[in-house]
Amino acid sequence: MATPKLRFKEFDGDWNKSTIGNFVLNYKGGASLTPADFVEYSDCEVIPKKAISSGGLLQLDKVVPTFCTLEFFNSNQNYIVDSEYLITTLRDLVPSGPSIGYIVKYESNKKYILAQGVYGFRIKNDLNRDFLIQFSNTSKFRLHMQSIMVGSTQVHIRNQDYFSTELYTPSLIEQTKIASFLSNVDEKISQLTQKHELLSQYKQGMMQKLFSQQLRFKADDGSEFGEWEEKLIKDIADVKGGKRIPKGYPLVNENTGHPYITVSDMNRSYSIDSTNIRYVPLEVVDTIKRYTITDKDIFISVAGTLGIIGKIPTEFNGANLTENADKLTNLKCHQDFLIYLLDSGYLSELIESTATTSAQPKLALYAIEQLEVQIPCPEEQTKIANFLSAIDQKIEVVAQQIEQAKQWKKGLLQQMFV
């Protein structure tokens, strides 16, 4: 029987087997724009491939929008869409095709011109638009997109293959109820995401005020703290580099008791992703045993992705540290305070001024040592660190809520469609 695992109780009966193409009234592909057709600004906006992703809504870049000339826009009316069209992309510059085939919509009165590889299509009234959009987010649909992609570096899907994609549909009433329910879940995720963004913006604003000393804490007795002192990093910490494992000894997945922290393990939440940690082979542990890190130290990525900063969890004490990272050890100030201080702008300015332009940019150890920072007394350091840590905890709670909601939505999609 063609019925979903999870269904609203008032509905029964099999779903009808069809294809996406059977519901399409008409479709149009994108225009072949050349570099000369693009301009910095005009009233004629282009829908590029990057505007299509999961989530169901067109994501046009508000910071760097894509515009074409009025002349090109007016002379290529066959590639222009309005809000009656659903939008998809059948090309992707990434070999894995992470966005290929997703269906999105927009609801403004504006008309856009489609870039090459982007398609717009109108559907019949017996298929709910949001039902089809939600279907394009199911794991079944995404796996099918992967199976019909062709190409290597720039993958694409032939439009006839795309519109031949199998689609099971219930009555329009049931479609609408499914789409409405899942849209409410999307709205919850959107609200949580907005809350996360606002908290992150608030944190950044407070960091700017705190480390510019525009905002100061007072001592517990109400007295003013003293002036901040200018120091070099080498005055408040020892800067040490990591170590590459000997050539010919690949990292292993088995837990030998000697984890190896790489830049890919480090994240922007001042910690590491411990789920994919790999380990140093036992036979070479002695060779690099001096290049370890503890939870009392601070890591900074200095090659590849520059400036990721944080500390490791206690359970990874003694882990070996990659040669693409340095550590600040023997700290003479509050650990979390120093992490926040450096992340407030000091590191980004240092990277901008000293990073080389080679194939793999490198942040020199001596440059970190010579970095000048402003340091308050220990009591004020603690107050600042505790204040920002409390904000981070709230951000993390919301991040977990977002992830839980996304996983719930993923499970619903799997069970509510055939």
Side-chain angles (χ1 to χ4, degrees):
M1 286 181 60
T3 57
K5 293 181 180 179
L6 183 63
R7 200 172 191 182
F8 293 104
K9 61 182 180 180
E10 64 265 36
F11 300 107
D12 56 21
D14 287 354
W15 287 22
N16 297 316
K17 181 180 179 180
S18 187
T19 66
I20 291 177
N22 285 340
F23 294 96
V24 174
L25 292 170
N26 70 293
Y27 70 89
K28 53 181 69 176
S32 299
L33 291 105
T34 67
D37 299 317
F38 293 100
V39 291
E40 186 175 343
Y41 177 78
S42 75
D43 289 329
C44 309
E45 192 165 356
V46 180
I47 297 180
K49 290 184 283 292
K50 66 180 181 179
I52 293 92
S53 61
S54 63
L57 296 176
L58 190 65
Q59 300 291 332
L60 293 168
D61 194 330
K62 296 179 181 178
V63 179
V64 188
T66 307
F67 299 104
C68 70
T69 64
L70 178 60
E71 180 183 7
F72 186 90
F73 192 87
N74 289 336
S75 61
N76 288 273
Q77 292 294 305
N78 290 337
Y79 306 110
I80 292 174
V81 295
D82 56 29
S83 59
E84 291 187 3
Y85 283 81
L86 294 173
I87 313 296
T88 189
T89 177
L90 300 186
R91 291 191 182 183
D92 204 316
L93 300 178
V94 181
S96 61
S99 296
I100 201 165
Y102 278 119
I103 300 171
V104 299
K105 66 177 182 179
Y106 73 92
E107 296 176 337
S108 71
N109 294 323
K110 190 171 180 177
K111 292 184 177 181
Y112 297 91
I113 188 166
L114 301 170
Q116 195 168 35
V118 180
Y119 283 75
F121 61 95
R122 294 169 58 237
I123 59 174
K124 299 175 183 178
N125 291 331
D126 54 349
L127 179 61
N128 182 284
R129 285 158 55 94
D130 292 315
F131 178 87
L132 181 59
I133 288 170
Q134 295 290 352
F135 173 67
S136 78
N137 283 267
T138 62
S139 57
K140 174 184 176 181
F141 182 89
R142 300 308 305 154
L143 288 171
H144 180 65
M145 293 298 100
Q146 299 293 316
S147 71
I148 62 175
M149 285 191 321
V150 293
S152 53
T153 55
Q154 295 189 31
V155 295
H156 67 278
I157 295 175
R158 300 181 182 91
N159 54 24
Q160 63 267 31
D161 292 337
Y162 184 78
F163 291 119
S164 296
T165 298
E166 192 177 83
L167 173 66
Y168 285 86
T169 58
S171 68
L172 186 58
I173 295 175
E174 187 173 0
Q175 290 177 40
T176 303
K177 186 155 187 175
I178 291 169
S180 177
F181 177 77
L182 292 172
S183 294
N184 287 336
V185 178
D186 285 336
E187 178 60 25
K188 178 63 176 177
I189 294 173
S190 177
Q191 290 172 355
L192 288 169
T193 302
Q194 184 179 23
K195 183 177 180 180
H196 188 273
E197 291 173 355
L198 290 173
L199 279 170
S200 298
Q201 291 170 8
Y202 171 69
K203 177 193 167 186
Q204 290 302 315
M206 294 307 298
M207 287 175 71
Q208 184 177 3
K209 290 180 179 180
L210 287 166
F211 295 118
S212 66
Q213 301 178 55
Q214 180 183 344
L215 180 65
R216 296 286 302 272
F217 284 100
K218 292 184 178 181
D220 291 341
D221 61 6
S223 62
E224 303 283 346
F225 286 121
E227 295 297 315
W228 290 28
E229 296 182 17
E230 188 172 281
K231 292 182 179 292
L232 300 178
I233 289 296
K234 69 176 185 178
D235 297 329
I236 56 176
D238 295 330
V239 186
K240 304 290 185 181
K243 179 73 172 177
R244 180 195 300 268
I245 64 172
K247 191 174 182 179
Y249 290 92
L251 295 172
V252 296
N253 294 323
E254 293 79 16
N255 185 350
T256 65
H258 299 278
Y260 188 81
I261 308 297
T262 67
V263 172
S264 62
D265 300 320
M266 301 171 184
N267 60 46
R268 296 290 182 182
S269 299
Y270 308 130
S271 188
I272 61 171
D273 179 4
S274 60
T275 57
N276 296 310
I277 294 292
R278 290 176 296 168
Y279 296 83
V280 179
L282 283 172
E283 57 266 36
V284 296
V285 167
D286 287 344
T287 307
I288 60 174
K289 64 183 180 182
R290 291 189 297 113
Y291 301 91
T292 59
I293 186 169
T294 75
D295 62 337
K296 306 299 182 187
D297 303 326
I298 294 172
F299 62 73
I300 300 175
S301 60
V302 297
T305 304
L306 304 180
I308 306 177
I309 187 170
K311 57 186 178 181
I312 67 170
T314 304
E315 60 265 30
F316 288 100
N317 270 344
N320 294 104
L321 185 64
T322 173
E323 80 280 9
N324 291 333
D326 290 346
K327 68 175 179 180
L328 305 184
T329 189
N330 299 322
L331 304 181
K332 300 178 181 66
C333 70
H334 194 289
Q335 183 188 35
D336 289 339
F337 169 85
L338 187 54
I339 290 173
Y340 288 123
L341 175 72
L342 292 173
D343 195 44
S344 69
Y346 281 105
L347 270 183
S348 58
E349 291 177 4
L350 181 64
I351 290 167
E352 186 176 344
S353 63
T354 67
T356 64
T357 57
S358 61
Q360 187 180 43
K362 182 80 173 180
L363 190 57
L365 186 148
Y366 72 84
I368 297 174
E369 289 182 325
Q370 296 298 318
L371 180 62
E372 293 182 354
V373 294
Q374 295 283 330
I375 302 290
C377 68
E379 291 80 9
E380 191 170 3
Q381 291 177 33
T382 300
K383 285 183 178 290
I384 291 173
N386 289 346
F387 176 78
L388 293 174
S389 293
I391 300 175
D392 270 340
Q393 289 172 11
K394 292 179 181 179
I395 293 174
E396 178 59 26
V397 167
V398 178
Q400 291 176 2
Q401 291 173 339
I402 293 172
E403 183 58 29
Q404 290 168 0
K406 286 182 175 180
Q407 290 302 317
W408 183 49
K409 167 80 183 295
K410 184 178 180 180
L412 291 172
L413 286 171
Q414 188 172 349
Q415 297 180 76
M416 295 184 77
F417 287 86
V418 175

